[in-house]
Amino acid sequence: DTGVSQDPRHKITKRGQNVTFRCDPISEHNRLYWYRQTLGQGPEFLTYFQNEAQLEKSRLLSDRFSAERPKGSFSTLEIQRTEQGDSAMYLCASSLAGGAAANEQFFGPGTRLTVL
Amino acid sequence: AQSVTQPDIHITVSEGASLELRCNYSYGATPYLFWYVQSPGQGLQLLLKYFSGDTLVQGIKGFEAEFKRSQSSFNLRKPSVHWSDAAEYFCAVGANDYKLSFGAGTTVTVRA
């Protein structure tokens, strides 16, 4: 297994455009998480899935953000009508479910979004 | 809600010298504690974790951390730093079974 992968690694877009990121978790992990990291800060939790069910969303996740995990494997994070404040690193992580194992999260390399 | 404080924004250390990074957390129960390292433009790599038991935990790359309940701390140490240890280090606390809360990070610079 090659770990968590994310695509693309970098995305530059103009304000108002829509963007979509993909995350492929570690294959045996049924939990998948999205975090956002801005410059000089630690990652902040956005949302997470257990299998295909989205179980929690942070208030950081505005109506312009939507995440899916349709078959309980890969996930997509879409941002509609991007704003300059959306510029950040978007990190995906995965874990097993339940107790301590759910907290041991393995992170992908991230997608760096720049909104011009 | 849990929170994490990393008091040092930036630390400079000479190669071969010892390193200690501070982490304080706030949480009502015994948390799960983690240290991650991030190289520029990269994702986070798990260095070590504390769930329960022995309060001194060993991690990868020669790092160790000590959990002190009385001080709500989980400080990271390395006896002898290598130039490749230059990176940003994040302390994180896990609770509620799903969300990690991270500190703002400490940037480590290693001088020759």
Side-chain angles (χ1 to χ4, degrees):
Chain A
D1 187 275
T2 56
V4 179
S5 61
Q6 293 186 245
D7 184 69
R9 294 291 306 278
H10 303 273
K11 179 70 177 178
I12 300 174
T13 191
K14 293 182 179 179
R15 188 177 54 187
Q17 297 296 304
N18 299 344
V19 294
T20 300
F21 310 141
R22 176 180 170 125
C23 171
D24 287 89
I26 293 171
S27 56
E28 62 266 31
H29 286 178
N30 49 4
R31 285 202 177 177
L32 186 148
Y33 310 81
W34 286 99
Y35 289 82
R36 182 173 69 186
Q37 184 181 21
T38 53
L39 205 60
Q41 298 299 315
E44 295 174 291
F45 170 81
L46 292 179
T47 187
Y48 91 105
F49 294 83
Q50 180 158 320
N51 301 314
E52 65 275 8
Q54 188 173 16
L55 298 185
E56 181 71 19
K57 292 193 291 185
S58 162
R59 63 177 182 268
L60 293 175
L61 214 64
S62 76
D63 291 345
R64 297 183 296 105
F65 288 70
S66 63
E68 293 183 343
R69 195 183 183 198
K71 297 182 180 180
S73 56
F74 72 91
S75 175
T76 58
L77 178 68
E78 181 183 16
I79 309 174
Q80 296 182 327
R81 305 179 304 280
T82 53
E83 302 173 355
Q84 288 183 326
D86 298 330
S87 295
M89 174 81 88
Y90 290 84
L91 293 163
C92 177
S94 69
S95 77
L96 297 170
N103 286 271
E104 188 171 358
Q105 298 175 17
F106 296 85
F107 283 79
T111 294
R112 169 74 66 189
L113 174 66
T114 302
V115 182
L116 302 176
Chain B
Q2 65 271 25
S3 65
V4 177
T5 301
Q6 294 181 246
D8 304 304
I9 296 172
H10 189 199
I11 286 180
T12 298
V13 60
S14 297
E15 192 169 14
S18 64
L19 174 68
E20 181 167 12
L21 304 182
R22 296 183 291 164
C23 172
N24 294 96
Y25 68 90
S26 173
Y27 183 60
T30 301
Y32 303 119
L33 294 162
F34 305 87
W35 275 99
Y36 285 87
V37 61
Q38 186 177 38
S39 297
Q42 301 298 312
L44 285 83
Q45 181 182 20
L46 180 64
L47 283 176
L48 47 75
K49 61 183 185 277
Y50 173 78
F51 288 165
S52 65
D54 192 347
T55 57
L56 185 64
V57 293
Q58 302 298 319
I60 62 171
K61 304 185 178 186
F63 285 92
E64 66 178 25
E66 186 172 13
F67 169 58
K68 292 186 177 180
R69 185 189 306 274
S70 61
Q71 298 177 18
S72 297
S73 69
F74 188 57
N75 294 350
L76 181 72
R77 298 192 292 256
K78 185 168 185 178
S80 177
V81 169
H82 187 262
W83 64 266
S84 61
D85 294 321
E88 190 157 21
Y89 292 80
F90 292 94
C91 180
V93 58
N96 300 323
D97 201 30
Y98 62 85
K99 180 176 73 172
L100 294 181
S101 294
F102 288 83
T106 298
T107 300
V108 173
T109 298
V110 180
R111 60 184 174 214

